[in-house]
Amino acid sequence: MALHRIQVFRIFERIWHWSQALLIFTLLFTGFAIRDLHRLIDFQTAVNLHTLAALLLLAIWIFATFWLFTTGQWRHYLPTSKNFAQVARFYVYGIFKGEHHPYVKTYRRKHNPLQALTYLAVKTLIFPAIWISGLLYLAVSFGLFDSLQASGVGLLADIHTIAAFAVLIFVILHVYLLTTGHSFAEHVRPMITGYDEVELTEEEYAYLKQDEPQKIQD
Amino acid sequence: MNLKPLFVLWPLLLLSFGLAAAEDEKIEYGVSEYANTFQDKTLKQHHNRPSTADHGEFDELKGPFASGPEVTKACLGCHNKAGSQFAKNKHWTWEYKHPVTGQLLGKKHLINGFCTNARGNEGMCAQCHAGYGWKDEGFDFTKLENIDCLICHESTGTYYKTPNSEGNAACSVMFEGKPAIEWERVAQSVSLPSRNNCGKCHFFGGGGDNVKHGDLSSALFNPPKALDVHMAADGNNFDCTTCHVGEGHQWEGSRYQMTVFDAKGTGKPGMPRDTASCASCHGHEPHPKVNVSGLLLNSHTEKLACETCHIPEFARGGVATVTHWDWRTQGKLKNGEGYKLKEYTQGNGEHRATYKSIKGDFKYGENIQPHYAWFDGTFKFTTLDTVFDPSKTPVELNSFSGQPGDKNSRIYPFKRMLTVQPYDKGNNTLVYMHLWGNDENALWGNYDLQKAISAGMARFNKPYSGEFDFIETYSYWPINHMVAPKEDALACDQCHSSEGRLKGIEGIYMPGVGGSDLVDRIGLLAALAALLGVLAHALLRFISGRRRAH
């Protein structure tokens, strides 16, 4: 086992991440305007932007889901108990003692176990809640599902809003956690350049060197 | 001599003279209700569909004619079905049997929140009846030559009507000094009705320009596009009959039973239309489906009437409408004479009476935001026979049905008129007043409400307890005219905000009005907690880092 600088985020993942980030910020901002929590933009602009951003994000999600399953990358999101306790302990205790982050990225596991579980929850609970309620809401606003018109749409809006707050909380934690462990810049850089220090077995290294040499930077 | 006080006093003196003069200018002696509806105010309209006949060349119309009925006989000589057709029309019968509520309505029966009742006052009110000579119950509705063809069809603009009976001496000066009608000229001018024909009566309903409807005023004789996108002379130049279509002297658009949701929409090409609905031309998906807004606006048509967004304000174009009418103050005189006090100056510069001896006090409004409510097209009226509870005011002279979820109901704009008017305190009913006439009981001239009510009720053998009081009433006038250009339609924020126009409308969730406060509050608290949590975490890291550094 040795540390190597290899490509962990492919160009698709990086575009996916940053476009998703931009769209989620747009959706939060416009969505809270539609919900009357602020009036920094007018209602019509907010609705138009929100709808278009949502449809765009949905398209990206469809691509990403397809990509995750065809490339096998979905395995990164499988929950695991291995090292879970150490990582959790680090955030509530070790971090204050100046300890180093106990997790080192591996080729098969680029997320730490806490990260993986969080992303899994986001992908399987929060995002489906937001886009199912959102799509139904959109369908109602476009005149479909008459039965939902009168009262049901209010409930949809509430579910959508609850999920939106969950996303907001995720964003807060996500951004904050970038400041932990290594420096903020070191956390953000891999998502820009794609490369990061990863622990590779000799077999993995040999395989990469043979089949995908462009992925190794060192 | 010390002139100083004079210098000080002089401007004050001038000012007081000025005020007195201004006060006098606002007072107009007499009770004339004459409104100038001559064509000098109106636009000569050309019809888009040129007629196949020039009535000026017909021998039948060469005359000579000495009266209206003589002209009508000539009309009916060729248009041999027109008389029996028109005899069924509300403009002739002033009577309407409501198909849903079964109520017997029409001007012949109803009491409104303006001059209250036409019944018994036909001598004055029937100037706007499309007939000749209706002054009392003796009018013969089977005598077809008494139909007034000219009021709707003449196109010179010189035709006019005067009261069918004599009023009180105080009122008799009202219609003097008009040029005689040239019957041959007006008869030969006939064409399809133009805005001028309809407007002469309908723009002056309730006793003056735009008094009644709020969305029908003399401003529509020649409206700019900003006032009415359909009737604008520099635009579509629609006649009233462009929308109020029909065949055989029956046409659409009565408010007694309205078509709020026109299920047929535009129909198939060539299909005859018989509705005066927006959808009959624009369909149910009128907004271009080229962007999110267009799609979303189209789905609004399931809940909103077109008028709700597209007539953002009524009484536009410089002509005010009466919003409050208080009968309690009628009868005040100056120098023993009835008078008007003109203290409201409307947008076009004309002064409107805020007090009339014969009618009481008025309040006016212009560019008024409508009252909104769910409406399915059916009005129910408080008639003379309706007993109401006087402790529950205002009494609704016309109430309406409609609810969310009903496919025929839409959120609809109304003018809501507030009136304080006499009622029978003993029987808890509305009353007929005897307003017009040359007798000691007519209110207009004698100013005695007790006598006017007694006579008004006795004339139709209606019970009157002998004691009257005043009661507040509401009347609702649907707003359909003065459709603004699309760029002036309501912006989304006008309704989609916490203090929006549809505040209080039930049965709809409106984004932007704020949803469940609980959800928002918990969500915001949770987000705040997350933010404080990470800040606390960061602070702890900072403190522990400094400790280690020491």
Side-chain angles (χ1 to χ4, degrees):
Chain A
M1 300 276 270
L3 280 179
H4 294 277
R5 207 170 173 76
I6 63 157
Q7 191 191 47
V8 290
F9 299 118
R10 278 177 247 192
I11 182 78
F12 173 78
E13 280 174 292
R14 282 175 277 151
I15 292 174
W16 169 29
H17 176 270
W18 289 115
S19 56
Q20 179 168 259
L22 181 72
L23 290 172
I24 285 176
F25 272 110
T26 308
L27 286 164
L28 284 172
F29 181 71
T30 55
F32 288 136
I34 293 167
R35 188 71 177 181
D36 200 33
L37 293 173
H38 70 80
R39 270 295 144 93
L40 298 170
I41 47 169
D42 75 276
F43 185 84
Q44 185 169 16
T45 314
V47 169
N48 285 340
L49 274 177
H50 196 78
T51 312
L52 292 174
L55 294 176
L56 205 56
L57 186 57
L58 204 65
I60 291 170
W61 278 342
I62 290 168
F63 272 113
T65 309
F66 181 74
W67 180 85
L68 282 173
F69 282 99
T70 51
T71 59
Q73 293 287 323
W74 56 274
R75 289 192 182 85
H76 286 284
Y77 299 95
L78 283 179
T80 174
S81 57
K82 197 179 163 197
N83 294 326
F84 191 94
Q86 287 98 309
V87 174
R89 182 191 158 279
F90 168 77
Y91 286 121
V92 297
Y93 180 76
I95 192 168
F96 305 119
K97 297 287 166 200
E99 289 176 12
H100 285 288
H101 201 291
Y103 191 76
V104 182
K105 282 180 181 156
T106 70
Y107 188 61
R108 293 198 166 277
R109 277 281 170 185
K110 59 189 169 194
H111 306 312
N112 75 50
L114 209 59
Q115 235 180 333
L117 188 70
T118 311
Y119 293 168
L120 187 69
V122 169
K123 279 180 199 300
T124 58
L125 296 174
I126 299 176
F127 283 177
I130 211 156
W131 67 249
I132 290 171
S133 60
L135 278 178
L136 280 174
Y137 190 104
L138 198 64
V140 172
S141 7
F142 284 165
L144 306 167
F145 300 117
D146 270 357
S147 52
L148 285 173
Q149 290 279 8
S151 53
V153 71
L155 181 68
L156 284 178
D158 281 345
I159 294 171
H160 198 68
T161 308
I162 292 167
F165 277 118
V167 173
L168 176 63
I169 291 165
F170 167 78
V171 170
I172 291 169
L173 297 177
H174 184 70
V175 173
Y176 173 69
L177 287 172
L178 292 175
T179 69
T180 64
H182 307 283
S183 75
F184 184 79
E186 263 182 75
H187 269 305
V188 176
R189 194 182 301 122
M191 198 46 94
I192 297 167
T193 64
Y195 290 90
D196 199 7
E197 301 275 317
V198 171
E199 200 161 64
L200 295 180
T201 62
E202 279 178 30
E203 292 83 357
E204 282 168 344
Y205 184 70
Y207 157 78
L208 279 178
K209 199 153 190 172
Q210 176 72 35
D211 275 18
E212 293 176 278
Q214 75 283 359
K215 280 199 164 182
I216 305 171
Q217 207 175 38
D218 52 10
Chain B
M1 196 173 133
N2 188 359
L3 290 174
K4 222 173 172 183
L6 254 182
F7 283 114
V8 180
L9 283 173
W10 187 239
L12 283 175
L13 272 172
L14 273 181
L15 193 66
S16 57
F17 280 131
L19 281 176
E23 181 75 10
D24 281 345
E25 270 171 29
K26 287 174 188 163
I27 293 170
E28 184 182 300
Y29 287 92
V31 293
S32 170
E33 289 290 272
Y34 166 65
N36 181 13
T37 60
F38 268 30
Q39 203 134 10
D40 55 356
K41 278 177 83 170
T42 69
L43 177 84
K44 179 76 184 159
Q45 259 182 288
H46 72 92
H47 289 284
N48 295 332
R49 290 174 298 169
S51 176
T52 52
D54 180 354
H55 284 71
E57 294 178 8
F58 288 160
D59 289 339
E60 287 83 348
L61 296 180
K62 289 272 188 287
F65 302 118
S67 71
E70 285 176 36
V71 177
T72 300
K73 275 185 202 160
C75 299
L76 297 181
C78 293
H79 297 275
N80 55 11
K81 291 289 173 199
S84 55
Q85 286 170 350
F86 192 72
K88 297 190 197 101
N89 189 293
K90 280 190 286 296
H91 288 72
W92 173 253
T93 62
W94 277 19
E95 190 167 72
Y96 178 79
K97 176 97 173 161
H98 198 290
V100 177
T101 65
Q103 286 188 302
L104 191 61
L105 308 170
K107 291 181 192 303
K108 200 178 186 179
H109 303 281
L110 278 177
I111 293 173
N112 65 32
F114 301 91
C115 295
T116 71
N117 53 301
R119 192 91 195 254
N121 299 306
E122 289 87 354
M124 172 75 180
C125 302
Q127 282 177 91
C128 273
H129 176 242
Y132 294 112
W134 184 3
K135 57 180 194 286
D136 53 35
E137 297 299 293
F139 185 70
D140 186 355
F141 287 90
T142 63
K143 221 172 163 190
L144 299 182
E145 71 254 37
N146 278 340
I147 291 172
D148 183 353
C149 305
L150 294 170
I151 190 72
C152 301
H153 288 286
E154 78 90 26
S155 67
T156 65
T158 62
Y159 185 71
Y160 61 89
K161 306 279 287 270
T162 51
N164 295 324
S165 66
E166 204 183 330
N168 187 284
C171 306
S172 61
V173 296
M174 238 186 259
F175 304 93
E176 284 173 358
K178 284 205 170 198
I181 295 169
E182 301 168 61
W183 293 101
E184 296 78 18
R185 189 175 156 231
V186 293
Q188 289 163 20
S189 79
V190 292
S191 74
L192 291 171
S194 72
R195 292 202 296 267
N196 301 331
N197 298 100
C198 307
K200 270 186 182 180
C201 282
H202 290 278
F203 295 165
F204 297 89
D209 198 352
N210 204 19
V211 164
K212 187 184 272 180
H213 289 274
D215 63 344
L216 288 175
S217 78
S218 66
L220 292 175
F221 278 132
N222 187 14
K225 208 166 180 178
L227 174 61
D228 192 301
V229 76
H230 297 112
M231 298 213 266
D234 56 342
N236 293 313
N237 203 12
F238 278 12
D239 292 317
C240 305
T241 52
T242 311
C243 296
H244 293 271
V245 287
E247 296 292 333
H249 281 105
Q250 306 297 324
W251 58 88
E252 283 302 312
S254 160
R255 88 194 145 92
Y256 291 131
Q257 176 60 47
M258 293 182 65
T259 305
V260 166
F261 171 57
D262 175 7
K264 207 186 277 175
T266 50
K268 297 193 171 69
M271 190 185 269
R273 295 183 309 131
D274 59 356
T275 48
S277 71
C278 306
S280 66
C281 286
H282 294 283
H284 293 120
E285 293 183 335
H287 309 96
K289 288 177 266 187
V290 294
N291 53 24
V292 175
S293 292
L295 290 166
L296 287 175
L297 287 173
N298 278 340
S299 70
H300 278 63
T301 61
E302 293 179 1
K303 301 180 203 75
L304 302 176
C306 306
E307 291 91 335
T308 299
C309 296
H310 289 278
I311 312 175
E313 288 164 347
F314 62 89
R316 290 186 289 118
V319 180
T321 190
V322 171
T323 56
H324 299 76
W325 185 321
D326 191 344
W327 273 98
R328 285 176 298 186
T329 53
Q330 71 80 35
K332 288 191 278 190
L333 304 179
K334 264 192 202 304
N335 310 329
E337 198 181 342
Y339 70 100
K340 297 177 187 178
L341 186 57
K342 296 190 164 183
E343 286 191 320
Y344 184 91
T345 305
Q346 65 185 17
N348 68 5
E350 282 177 27
H351 306 298
R352 303 291 297 264
T354 46
Y355 177 74
K356 290 180 185 176
S357 299
I358 61 169
K359 294 179 178 179
D361 274 300
F362 307 99
K363 280 185 195 160
Y364 291 85
E366 288 174 77
N367 308 312
I368 301 169
Q369 181 179 316
H371 169 86
Y372 299 101
W374 286 100
F375 180 44
D376 64 7
T378 301
F379 275 115
K380 195 166 180 284
F381 287 81
T382 298
T383 65
L384 189 64
D385 306 319
T386 315
V387 177
F388 51 79
D389 178 358
S391 70
K392 285 181 191 136
T393 53
V395 171
E396 289 182 323
L397 294 182
N398 59 344
S399 57
F400 48 88
S401 45
Q403 55 188 354
D406 167 28
K407 73 174 172 50
N408 290 317
S409 295
R410 295 291 182 276
I411 297 166
Y412 215 87
F414 296 91
K415 172 193 170 183
R416 187 169 69 180
M417 168 84 190
L418 180 67
T419 309
V420 185
Q421 63 193 82
Y423 81 108
D424 183 337
K425 203 178 170 184
N427 293 326
N428 293 336
T429 58
L430 297 170
V431 290
Y432 281 161
M433 292 194 275
H434 177 52
L435 303 168
W436 178 261
N438 192 16
D439 58 85
E440 53 157 15
N441 294 322
L443 187 74
W444 290 350
N446 299 310
Y447 306 107
D448 187 333
L449 263 178
Q450 179 66 278
K451 279 185 181 171
I453 295 168
S454 299
M457 297 296 271
R459 188 164 178 184
F460 299 100
N461 296 318
K462 297 289 182 186
Y464 175 48
S465 70
E467 205 180 347
F468 73 90
D469 202 350
F470 295 92
I471 196 153
E472 284 192 343
T473 64
Y474 270 152
S475 49
Y476 295 91
W477 298 86
I479 296 297
N480 314 94
H481 305 95
M482 299 186 174
V483 175
K486 59 174 178 273
E487 55 273 16
D488 294 336
L490 282 190
C492 307
D493 301 71
Q494 295 274 335
C495 297
H496 291 278
S497 68
S498 44
E499 292 300 314
R501 290 189 176 205
L502 297 187
K503 196 181 180 194
I505 294 281
E506 289 183 358
I508 42 164
Y509 169 78
M510 279 214 302
V513 176
S516 155
D517 283 346
L518 191 67
V519 167
D520 292 348
R521 230 170 272 161
I522 291 174
L524 284 171
L525 277 177
L528 195 67
L531 200 62
L532 290 175
V534 299
L535 285 176
H537 196 269
L539 190 67
L540 277 175
R541 277 165 63 201
F542 178 71
I543 293 167
S544 62
R546 293 221 348 178
R547 279 220 193 104
R548 281 195 306 280
H550 282 298

